Amino acid sequence: PPLHMIFTGNPGTGKTSIARKMGELLKAVGMLPTDNVIEVDRNQMVGKYMGETPKLVNALCDRAMGGVLFIDEAYTLYESDGSSGDKYGKEAIEALMKRMEDDRGKFVVIAAGYRKEMEMFMQVNPGLDSRFTHRLNIEDYTEKELVEIFKALVRKKQYILSEMAEGVLMERVRDLYANKTRNFGNAREIRKMFDATIQQLSMRVSMIPPSRLTQRDYQVIEAQDIAM
């Protein structure tokens, strides 16, 4: 049976990562022959002149056959100007819907984006909403989860977080979370903070005389290293 999905959530909540894992899962349970995930957005699906768009969409569907076609920020496929609408975007949607029907069960389409925008997108074409049988909304990470993501990066990259640095980290994340907007990047913001932290650690270590350097100096993240 068709198993097309909608993933909604703010940036950095893991929609793309979950789509990749979904490809592995569907192959593992025998619902798809491959775990291939083709990641695309509007730029790859919508042409610049009439008649080009269906060719682009069909080519992408062909590449995704047997696996998953993941459309990031799918709501941008239809960018209405308030009058005639987005004719090329409509072409893309219609071509995609046709392939989803013609190749039922042969591949999976996962469309992702902000929750409100995706709900509006589903109303663009009467048949679009019925094509997607499963929906998953991914909430923003909590403060505690954001801290754990930072710590996971520390472990993965084989660094060590000092006790004082951990306290500063919690303060930084608390401030970041308290001032977040709709476009808050979640895990993406934490990765940026981690990268900046490692850069500051490197700059601090570069000021230590070589004769006094130890392996621990390169590995331990101190309080002053935690990026704002």
Side-chain angles (χ1 to χ4, degrees), residues 68 70 79 89 93 107 140 195-196 205:
V68 173
F70 176 72
E79 298 179 331
I93 294 169
F107 77 123
D140 284 350
D195 291 342
V205 170

Side-chain angles (χ1 to χ4, degrees), residues 93-202:
I93 294 169
E94 290 166 1
L96 178 65
M97 288 174 55
K98 186 175 188 304
R99 289 301 296 267
M100 291 168 72
E101 183 63 29
D102 293 347
D103 295 300
R104 288 166 59 90
K106 296 180 181 179
F107 77 123
V108 169
V109 176
I110 299 178
Y114 288 108
R115 188 172 189 173
K116 181 179 178 180
E117 280 80 350
M118 289 302 293
E119 289 173 353
M120 295 173 63
F121 174 65
M122 287 295 104
Q123 307 305 314
V124 169
N125 187 299
L128 188 60
D129 186 65
S130 63
R131 295 289 200 286
F132 291 92
T133 55
H134 293 71
R135 286 164 171 74
L136 172 66
N137 182 61
I138 309 165
E139 299 291 344
D140 284 350
Y141 289 107
T142 64
E143 286 182 39
K144 182 178 180 180
E145 289 168 337
L146 293 172
V147 170
E148 289 304 317
I149 290 171
F150 190 99
K151 290 181 178 179
L153 289 170
V154 170
R155 292 191 296 270
K156 182 178 180 180
K157 299 298 183 180
Q158 299 184 333
Y159 288 96
I160 300 168
L161 195 65
S162 73
E163 186 174 339
M164 291 186 65
E166 184 170 346
V168 173
L169 169 65
M170 294 176 69
E171 292 177 6
R172 295 279 193 273
V173 171
R174 188 177 301 117
D175 291 342
L176 192 67
Y177 193 83
N179 294 296
K180 72 174 185 174
T181 65
R182 182 172 180 269
N183 296 318
F184 178 65
N186 286 279
R188 197 175 302 159
E189 297 291 342
I190 297 302
R191 286 196 296 270
K192 286 166 56 180
M193 180 189 291
F194 176 79
D195 291 342
T197 294
I198 299 307
Q199 186 176 15
Q200 292 188 181
L201 181 152
S202 299

Side-chain angles (χ1 to χ4, degrees), residues 65-76:
M65 203 54 53
V68 173
L69 178 66
F70 176 72
I71 308 173
D72 195 20
E73 297 183 338
Y75 58 88
T76 62

